[in-house]
Amino acid sequence: MYNLWPFQSEALSAVNAEFAKGMRRVIVSMPTGTGKTIVLCACVVMALRAGTRCLIIVPTAELVGQTVEKLQNIGIFPGVVKQDRDEWDYPVVVA
């Protein structure tokens, strides 16, 4: 797992609070370069521990690769959906 900065931990806590209220879809908005993908990885770990699947949608093919790499660095090997890949049967999918 990645070590989180205090502001990243705060974002993760806010996500946890929304999940505790029963929200199923939560958006985290942070400036460029502040580690959104790291916070996302922490959210995925939390979701997997709770037995929940995750769908991560990113806007570019480059970000698909970066997100997959960050997840793989912590031992999560997601499916990918883009162009000729259609790997929906994974607990975590990046599209």
Side-chain angles (χ1 to χ4, degrees), residues 13-36:
S13 293
V15 169
N16 275 328
E18 293 303 309
F19 286 161
K21 293 179 201 173
M23 299 299 293
R24 296 185 62 207
R25 293 169 187 90
V26 178
I27 294 174
V28 175
S29 178
M30 296 168 55
T32 301
T34 56
K36 290 180 289 293

Side-chain angles (χ1 to χ4, degrees), residues 37 40-41 43-45 47-48 52-60 63-69 71-72 76-83 85-95:
T37 306
L40 172 71
C41 288
C43 289
V44 169
V45 168
L48 291 175
T52 303
R53 294 184 69 203
C54 296
L55 172 60
I56 302 162
I57 301 172
V58 296
T60 66
L63 288 176
V64 168
Q66 288 176 13
T67 303
V68 167
E69 179 182 348
L71 288 166
Q72 288 175 341
I76 298 171
F77 297 90
V80 174
V81 174
K82 71 171 194 167
Q83 297 167 335
R85 294 179 70 179
D86 193 24
E87 303 166 354
W88 285 104
D89 294 335
Y90 288 71
V92 179
V93 175
V94 181

